[in-house]
Amino acid sequence: MKISFENAKEIKTLKGFGGSACWWSPQVKSEKTADEIANLLYGDDGLKMNIYRFNVGGGYEKDNLRIENPWRYVESFMNKDGTFDYSKDKYAVKMMKKCLKLGNIDTLIFFANSPHFTQTVTGQTSGGFTEHFSNLDKSKYEDFAKYLIDIAEHFIKEGYPVKYISPINEPQWKWGGESVWQEGCHYEPKEVYDCFLEFAKELEKRKSSLKLYGPESGNIKDHTKEYYKLLSSNELIMKYLDTFAYHSYGSDENVGEKVEFGKWAKKNIKTPRFDMSEWCELPCKHDTKSVESSLIMARIIGEDLIYTGVDSWSAWVCVNQWDNYSDGFLVAKDDFSDYYVAKRYYAMAHFSKYIPKGSKSLDIDFNTSRGLSVFAFEINESKKAIVAVNNSKAKRTLEFDRVFNDCDFIETTQSFNLKETKMQNVKKLDIKPMSLVTVILK
């Protein structure tokens, strides 16, 4: 299969890679464990990610709580009476601080899955009592904006480099009804607009340095284009909406949808950033220790960067519970008395460790062929890179349009992770069956 950089077209200058601290970070009580995990995720020897999504919990009252899993409801910094207590959610804050100290994070986003429980219709953060009903009280839009901005500005004053606030998460989902499982809030498209407008008004009133991020639509279909059309119709919203962000669920097996959405985004989205801010395999069909789980994640990262044309890519949770889901980079017991590195971790590593922010995504006109996907990047003027995902049972051979003097070949299979080999005078490369490689070409 031929790979040519000769007529490659630049897509974007990448702004990096990240993940969410949602639900797991409040559970890490041990200093030693917290240091280990921070280094695995954000350290130079770990994933070296630069984007951190901090979850601002909506709080709860124990006698008015329907979420059963204790990982899925979060202490709020605001008390029921409207006063603030920043000693709450202290372990999540400690984890954020440890990750920031490692020096790689340049994008810190505070996001809310739900408004504060006192601002909801039900008094709960898990959505309405019926499905597809906005749980944010119509009279509380301004209160919600003040609350979230107050929290972000407190942390800025404390020295945390908060750039963005994201008030809405996956607005189209049903959130609520008889069965609830986490914090969440449904919004109709006009309610998304009204909420963002209230936030923009409050930011304008304060002359705040904060920018809006979102609305973190759950996929590229449904109302996503409508959200952008509504938000972009208002000059004040667009003054503060720095990043239009979506989640890449629902199109894992339909790259055509990503290509179409990418064309629309290139033509229409005018915000300074366009981010893919959340993805995991849903449903999680592959075991945490299987190379298949790594291959699908790597393929999705590449497709979103190249075909949809996003500026950055972030995973959903960095850590998942031991016996609950399999969507994190790490897998931990509820109290973090034990944890291990999942195979998905290495999918992110093949990008975040070797293709740094500032690299350029490239269109080399390569379409997935016989289970092989290839994604190309320019790290600098003297270095090109490809990430190749071979999801077939047969070896595939890549042939370049010229000889490269030096090559770093990084390979992950079921048997090993990030095995590095140096090569010289490279014109062809063999990609093993069911393997993932990053190739740095000089």
Side-chain angles (χ1 to χ4, degrees):
M1 297 177 187
K2 301 278 188 181
I3 302 291
S4 174
F5 292 99
E6 177 98 22
N7 298 309
K9 297 173 186 173
E10 181 182 329
I11 302 169
K12 286 286 180 69
T13 297
L14 300 183
K15 293 183 171 70
F17 301 91
S20 158
C22 197
W23 299 335
W24 61 271
S25 59
Q27 322 303 328
V28 190
K29 311 295 196 299
S30 159
E31 288 282 335
K32 179 177 178 292
T33 303
D35 285 334
E36 291 170 357
I37 289 174
N39 277 288
L40 278 166
L41 298 174
Y42 288 93
D44 287 347
D45 295 327
L47 293 178
K48 206 176 179 180
M49 297 189 297
N50 65 297
I51 300 169
Y52 195 101
R53 293 179 71 224
F54 179 85
N55 175 224
V56 179
Y60 56 91
E61 293 181 288
K62 286 190 175 178
D63 61 353
N64 189 26
L65 177 67
R66 292 194 292 155
I67 304 169
E68 294 181 0
N69 185 342
W71 271 43
R72 301 265 175 134
Y73 51 88
V74 186
E75 281 188 332
S76 175
F77 299 117
M78 190 173 84
N79 300 313
K80 188 176 182 180
D81 64 3
T83 60
F84 288 86
D85 180 357
Y86 288 100
S87 69
K88 290 186 173 181
D89 207 15
K90 64 180 181 181
Y91 294 108
V93 174
K94 278 186 177 180
M95 178 57 71
M96 174 173 60
K97 190 172 184 178
K98 284 180 181 294
C99 292
L100 283 164
K101 275 187 173 179
L102 295 170
N104 289 317
I105 296 171
D106 62 11
T107 304
L108 180 56
I109 305 155
F110 275 28
F111 79 99
N113 286 315
S114 166
H116 191 268
F117 72 89
T118 61
Q119 296 157 0
T120 66
V121 175
T122 62
Q124 302 174 0
T125 58
S126 51
F129 290 133
T130 57
E131 297 176 1
H132 296 98
F133 172 80
S134 178
N135 199 29
L136 174 57
D137 190 310
K138 300 297 182 191
S139 68
K140 302 288 187 181
Y141 276 61
E142 184 179 0
D143 291 344
F144 179 34
K146 288 178 177 177
Y147 148 81
L148 193 55
I149 295 168
D150 280 347
I151 290 170
E153 289 188 340
H154 164 83
F155 280 93
I156 290 172
K157 287 174 185 173
E158 292 288 309
Y160 293 82
V162 187
K163 280 189 179 180
Y164 302 108
I165 49 173
S166 176
I168 291 176
N169 184 71
E170 300 181 346
Q172 68 264 60
W173 300 154
K174 64 182 184 180
W175 302 126
E178 292 184 8
S179 176
V180 297
W181 60 95
Q182 69 167 77
E183 290 188 347
C185 187
H186 174 81
Y187 298 83
E188 290 297 314
K190 180 60 166 55
E191 292 168 329
V192 169
Y193 172 87
D194 290 342
C195 184
F196 269 76
L197 181 57
E198 202 59 57
F199 271 82
K201 287 177 180 177
E202 187 63 28
L203 291 170
E204 178 76 358
K205 198 182 299 180
R206 301 186 190 203
K207 305 299 181 197
S208 178
S209 65
L210 287 162
K211 295 293 186 181
L212 290 169
Y213 190 99
E216 307 213 48
S217 176
N219 59 35
I220 57 177
K221 296 171 281 190
D222 299 334
H223 302 289
T224 305
K225 294 177 183 178
E226 185 180 359
Y227 297 146
Y228 185 79
K229 184 178 179 182
L230 284 168
L231 295 173
S232 64
S233 70
N234 186 280
E235 190 176 331
L236 185 61
I237 291 175
M238 293 305 284
K239 179 178 177 180
Y240 288 96
L241 183 62
D242 186 84
T243 308
F244 186 74
Y246 77 100
H247 298 170
S248 191
Y249 296 113
S251 300
D252 292 358
E253 304 305 324
N254 194 336
V255 73
E257 288 181 348
K258 296 185 179 187
V259 171
E260 186 277 329
F261 186 69
K263 289 177 180 176
W264 174 86
K266 184 177 180 180
K267 180 179 178 182
N268 291 280
I269 293 177
K270 306 304 180 188
T271 51
R273 284 181 70 149
F274 171 42
D275 283 10
M276 201 307 292
S277 54
E278 186 181 306
W279 179 87
C280 69
E281 185 187 9
L282 282 181
C284 293
K285 298 175 183 176
H286 299 108
D287 184 82
T288 55
K289 297 178 181 178
S290 73
V291 73
E292 287 89 349
S293 68
S294 192
L295 296 179
I296 186 172
M297 176 173 256
R299 177 174 62 80
I300 299 301
I301 295 173
E303 289 177 353
D304 290 338
L305 292 174
I306 303 302
Y307 300 130
T308 310
V310 295
D311 291 68
S312 77
W313 199 97
S314 293
W316 172 216
V317 291
C318 292
V319 188
N320 65 261
Q321 288 171 283
W322 198 274
D323 294 315
N324 195 346
Y325 298 91
S326 61
D327 49 4
F329 297 135
L330 311 175
V331 179
K333 293 195 171 174
D334 282 2
D335 61 358
F336 276 79
S337 58
D338 194 11
Y339 72 89
Y340 65 87
V341 176
K343 204 73 175 180
R344 296 181 200 276
Y345 179 92
Y346 303 102
M348 177 60 91
H350 273 272
F351 289 89
S352 62
K353 277 179 73 71
Y354 303 103
I355 301 168
K357 65 181 180 182
S359 300
K360 293 171 179 161
S361 50
L362 301 176
D363 178 2
I364 57 169
D365 197 25
F366 185 97
N367 296 318
T368 296
S369 175
R370 295 188 294 156
L372 179 70
S373 300
V374 178
F375 311 106
F377 307 89
E378 179 180 284
I379 297 174
N380 56 42
E381 287 185 4
S382 62
K383 284 185 186 178
K384 300 288 194 297
I386 62 164
V387 177
V389 184
N390 186 2
N391 198 38
S392 75
K393 305 290 185 183
K395 178 185 76 174
R396 301 293 184 223
T397 300
L398 297 179
E399 183 175 356
F400 299 104
D401 58 347
R402 66 181 179 86
V403 175
F404 287 92
N405 295 331
D406 293 289
C407 166
D408 296 332
F409 187 83
I410 303 102
E411 184 179 27
T412 293
T413 68
Q414 185 64 60
S415 303
F416 51 79
N417 305 308
L418 305 180
K419 180 182 176 184
E420 297 191 11
T421 306
K422 291 196 176 293
M423 303 176 184
Q424 291 183 318
N425 300 320
V426 173
K427 176 83 184 231
K428 290 184 179 182
L429 287 172
D430 288 333
I431 314 298
K432 291 188 179 104
M434 303 301 289
S435 75
L436 166 62
V437 302
T438 297
V439 185
I440 312 297
L441 299 155
K442 307 166 196 174

